Amino acid sequence: MKFLIVNTFHYYRGGDCTYTFNVSKLLKEMGDHRVVHFAMKHPLNLPSEYSEFFVPEIDLVEELAKKSIKSGIKVLKRVIYSIVSKKQLSKLLDKYPVNIAQIHNIHGHITPSIFHVLKKRNIPIIWRLSDYFLLCPNSTFYSKNRVCEECKGKRFYNVIIKKCRKNSYAACVMVMFEEYIHRLIGLLKLVDYFIAPSNFLRNKMIEYGFPPYKVIHIPTFIETKNIKVSSEADNYFLYSGRLSYEKGLKTLIKSMSLNTSSKLLLAGDGPLRPELEKAAKKIASNKIKFLGHVGREKMEEFIAGASFVVLPSEWYENLPNSILEAFASGKPVVGSRIGGIPELVRDGETGLLFEPGNSNDLAEKMQWMIKHPKERQEMGQRARELVEKEYNSKLHYKRLMKVYKMALNEHGKEVS
């Protein structure tokens, strides 16, 4: 079978990119499949034999900063309905025909305009979602430091009223038009199936009006064969991810004033770092260390040495890779009871849950972890067993192939 995998960025930039490369490798290893990539040109892109067909790069932030009519039109033409993406994809498919297309993150650069190209060629479209953009113009259900669902019922104009997309009216107008126009011209109806990594996301899609039969829950997978279980633990616990407002890091820092027996390491960077460092100095500077950006191999070492991993998010996390990575190393997670986190962190089994935004509750759960090493280790063992059983690559491939076959049959195509 020949697959088309579409993702805006073709380098390791975030969870959507990591999944793109992992699923491409999986498809090649598990069957006699060819994977054709379509993305945007970028200096950091990994080598690809298909790169000559990638769409030209556009820096949306830079263009919007120009505040000119010409730049505004250029951005809208690219963000709403990209003609250049259609042209480039047509050229790619002329040379490399495919049986099925799997879409990942395409908003703002490639756009769903490519669905018209795919439908014209009778190529089934499977859209694997990594955020909430189809429901929320800000993509996170988070605004002004709280969970927000005010755009429910297609009231996407609220994104402008609340100015919640990058705190920019220009960006808000852009995504509002994107949401409305894509629905007006029926682009979302061209998708055969949506894949939701968490049941939480699937339920939200249905709640917001998407047909239940079209939204299928397939969790992310993690390859554990090269990840050793580490029962050893140094005197620290770990947060890894973006340092941004929705991640609940202010709550985490505050909770450290109530925790005196272990250190916190924060791996990652982001806009909230200066504010967090300032707060850490006041509260517990000797117990909190900022690591900045950490490479993959080094991150595995930090996870292996941690007592446990903490994820204090205050937004609707989908299915965080950081939890899967912790579980693969045999480390339990203290996570907030929100979004898709409870689907992985099973309270008392693979970790502990706490009330989002409640620093006292978080501190209590972290202290329990620190004071109960035997139970903590048992949780870590169960966490590893969970990812081996339910989040493995073979099961993920089997689930994907079932969706592919349904889509191909509906298009009157033979399944190879």
Side-chain angles (χ1 to χ4, degrees):
M1 196 180 298
K2 297 175 183 177
F3 294 91
L4 173 71
I5 302 288
V6 185
N7 192 60
T8 294
F9 299 100
H10 198 68
Y11 63 94
Y12 286 100
R13 186 176 184 268
D16 56 326
C17 301
T18 299
Y19 178 79
T20 293
F21 295 122
N22 287 347
V23 78
S24 298
K25 181 182 177 184
L26 177 64
L27 290 172
K28 292 173 185 176
E29 290 177 347
M30 295 296 288
D32 185 21
H33 304 307
R34 176 167 190 159
V35 178
V36 178
H37 288 277
F38 187 60
M40 181 179 73
K41 293 180 180 179
H42 193 279
L44 298 178
N45 276 356
L46 300 182
S48 171
E49 63 180 296
Y50 312 107
S51 60
E52 66 177 291
F53 301 100
F54 289 2
V55 298
E57 180 187 7
I58 180 172
D59 189 325
L60 298 178
V61 175
E62 182 181 310
E63 290 295 332
L64 288 172
K66 293 178 182 178
K67 297 181 179 179
S68 68
I69 295 176
K70 183 178 179 181
S71 293
I73 293 173
K74 180 180 179 181
V75 168
L76 283 173
K77 285 173 66 178
R78 181 63 177 269
V79 168
I80 304 299
Y81 191 91
S82 175
I83 299 298
V84 68
S85 294
K86 291 180 66 176
K87 289 180 178 178
Q88 291 303 107
L89 180 59
S90 293
K91 292 177 183 178
L92 173 66
L93 295 177
D94 284 343
K95 188 171 182 179
Y96 300 102
V98 300
N99 304 105
I100 198 160
Q102 181 160 312
I103 313 300
H104 296 164
N105 185 1
I106 58 172
H107 294 293
H109 296 278
I110 293 174
T111 80
S113 65
I114 62 171
F115 295 172
H116 284 147
V117 174
L118 297 170
K119 280 302 175 184
K120 186 177 181 181
R121 295 170 186 252
N122 196 31
I123 298 171
I125 301 169
I126 311 297
W127 197 346
R128 193 260 185 185
L129 305 173
S130 57
D131 59 28
Y132 302 100
F133 187 82
L134 296 184
L135 314 177
C136 163
N138 197 31
S139 78
T140 60
F141 282 131
Y142 194 83
S143 177
K144 311 304 179 187
N145 298 322
R146 67 177 183 85
V147 168
C148 170
E149 294 195 45
E150 292 189 23
C151 285
K152 189 174 184 179
K154 301 178 183 177
R155 296 176 297 175
F156 302 123
Y157 53 81
N158 278 309
V159 72
I160 299 175
I161 296 172
K162 298 179 70 66
K163 198 184 177 184
C164 54
R165 182 74 173 188
K166 299 181 179 179
N167 199 34
S168 163
Y169 282 122
C172 291
V173 170
M174 184 174 68
V175 293
M176 182 195 71
F177 276 120
E178 189 175 352
E179 296 280 12
Y180 281 127
I181 292 175
H182 288 170
R183 284 165 172 76
L184 183 65
I185 62 179
L187 284 173
L188 302 186
K189 293 180 180 179
L190 299 180
V191 178
D192 293 276
Y193 292 102
F194 296 94
I195 292 176
S198 67
N199 266 314
F200 182 86
L201 173 53
R202 180 178 187 270
N203 291 336
K204 277 293 173 194
M205 292 281 287
I206 295 169
E207 179 185 335
Y208 275 60
F210 284 78
Y213 76 91
K214 267 198 171 189
V215 189
I216 299 174
H217 172 224
I218 300 181
T220 312
F221 71 98
I222 186 167
E223 188 58 73
T224 59
K225 62 183 179 182
N226 295 322
I227 302 176
K228 294 181 179 179
V229 175
S230 173
S231 57
E232 300 297 321
D234 293 328
N235 189 34
Y236 71 85
F237 52 96
L238 177 72
Y239 166 85
S240 65
R242 183 170 166 78
L243 306 187
S244 51
Y245 293 90
E246 72 278 7
K247 293 294 186 176
L249 297 171
K250 288 184 178 181
T251 300
L252 177 58
I253 297 296
K254 186 178 180 181
S255 72
M256 290 300 290
S257 65
L258 306 172
N259 167 42
T260 59
S261 56
S262 189
K263 292 183 178 180
L264 164 65
L265 303 187
L266 295 107
D269 220 329
L272 196 57
R273 181 170 178 173
E275 190 175 335
L276 293 174
E277 289 180 330
K278 187 176 180 180
K281 286 181 181 179
K282 291 181 179 179
I283 293 174
S285 60
N286 62 320
K287 296 187 295 183
I288 303 172
K289 185 176 181 180
F290 292 83
L291 304 174
H293 175 74
V294 177
R296 287 183 154 212
E297 290 185 9
K298 194 66 179 175
M299 180 61 74
E300 289 181 6
E301 292 178 18
F302 279 121
I303 295 173
S307 299
F308 58 93
V309 169
V310 60
L311 187 63
S313 291
E314 293 171 11
W315 74 293
Y316 294 150
E317 288 275 6
N318 188 4
L319 194 78
N321 283 327
S322 59
I323 296 181
L324 294 177
E325 291 164 358
F327 284 4
S329 291
K331 303 295 178 178
V333 172
V334 174
S336 47
R337 192 180 283 102
I338 194 170
I341 293 176
E343 295 176 33
L344 286 166
V345 182
R346 299 173 183 178
D347 200 28
E349 295 182 26
T350 60
L352 296 174
L353 295 170
F354 72 96
E355 181 187 352
N358 188 328
S359 56
N360 290 324
D361 192 15
L362 173 55
E364 182 182 320
K365 298 301 166 57
M366 294 193 302
Q367 280 296 103
W368 190 95
M369 280 288 193
I370 293 166
K371 293 179 178 180
H372 296 81
K374 182 176 181 295
E375 292 87 345
R376 186 181 70 220
Q377 188 174 340
E378 290 172 352
M379 284 184 181
Q381 291 173 347
R382 287 193 291 269
R384 170 73 180 214
E385 292 168 1
L386 176 66
V387 292
E388 287 180 337
K389 181 181 178 181
E390 297 183 28
Y391 299 87
N392 65 74
S393 57
K394 289 183 179 179
L395 183 56
H396 190 80
Y397 177 78
K398 182 179 179 181
R399 289 165 169 164
L400 283 180
M401 290 304 297
K402 183 178 179 180
V403 178
Y404 298 154
K405 288 175 182 178
M406 288 192 301
L408 288 166
N409 286 332
E410 289 166 11
H411 280 251
K413 293 188 173 187
E414 294 183 5
V415 179
S416 57

